[in-house]
Amino acid sequence: QLQLVESGGGLVQPGGSLRLSCAASGFTLDYNAIGWFRQAPGKEREGVSCISSSGSYAHYADSVKGRFTISRDHAKNTVYLQMNSLKPEDTAVYYCAADLRSRCTVARNTYDGMVYWGKGTLVTVSS
């Protein structure tokens, strides 16, 4: 069974850090671009970051550029999202998704072509 499972969410104070993980089971992520998305209450889902299959290319939404870092570990079949300097507006459910292709397809506020989705992990930034 193909699955993506996110973990690492939680409650953090403004200015704090979290590292999200996206682990795959049932298939290898070696050939897939992986994206992180988020959806805040009452808002549309937006693309946060995307990494190519090789890890040589990464894209970030303007709202997280300089604060978030996406990376991948092929040996662990896992993609990470390191989130630093968190702000209350980062509060959302974060999802990872896999594209069947090796490259990220950047669209307005999202990344197209994602086929497999995880169920999400909640990040709450609050004092």
Side-chain angles (χ1 to χ4, degrees):
Q1 185 178 359
L2 307 180
Q3 267 191 318
L4 290 174
V5 179
E6 303 93 339
S7 61
L11 174 64
V12 64
Q13 292 187 341
S17 298
L18 283 174
R19 188 177 79 158
L20 304 184
S21 299
C22 172
S25 61
F27 70 111
T28 176
L29 294 178
D30 287 355
Y31 308 107
N32 304 88
I34 303 297
W36 281 99
F37 300 76
R38 67 186 181 186
Q39 187 165 20
K43 294 189 176 181
E44 290 187 355
R45 187 175 64 199
E46 62 175 347
V48 174
S49 183
C50 184
I51 189 168
S52 65
S53 61
S54 67
S56 61
Y57 171 84
H59 182 275
Y60 299 92
D62 287 343
S63 59
V64 306
K65 205 172 290 184
R67 300 189 297 122
F68 290 10
T69 303
I70 192 170
S71 62
R72 64 193 305 158
D73 186 331
H74 288 285
K76 295 183 178 179
N77 211 25
T78 300
V79 174
Y80 303 98
L81 186 68
Q82 178 68 43
M83 306 186 298
N84 299 328
S85 302
L86 283 162
K87 305 175 181 180
E89 51 264 43
D90 295 317
T91 295
V93 177
Y94 284 71
Y95 302 89
C96 66
D99 195 328
L100 293 180
R101 300 163 296 184
S102 61
R103 297 181 178 181
C104 301
T105 303
V106 180
R108 183 180 180 186
N109 295 330
T110 192
Y111 302 104
D112 285 341
M114 299 296 167
V115 176
Y116 302 113
W117 291 82
K119 294 184 178 181
T121 184
L122 177 62
V123 172
T124 303
V125 185
S126 175
S127 55

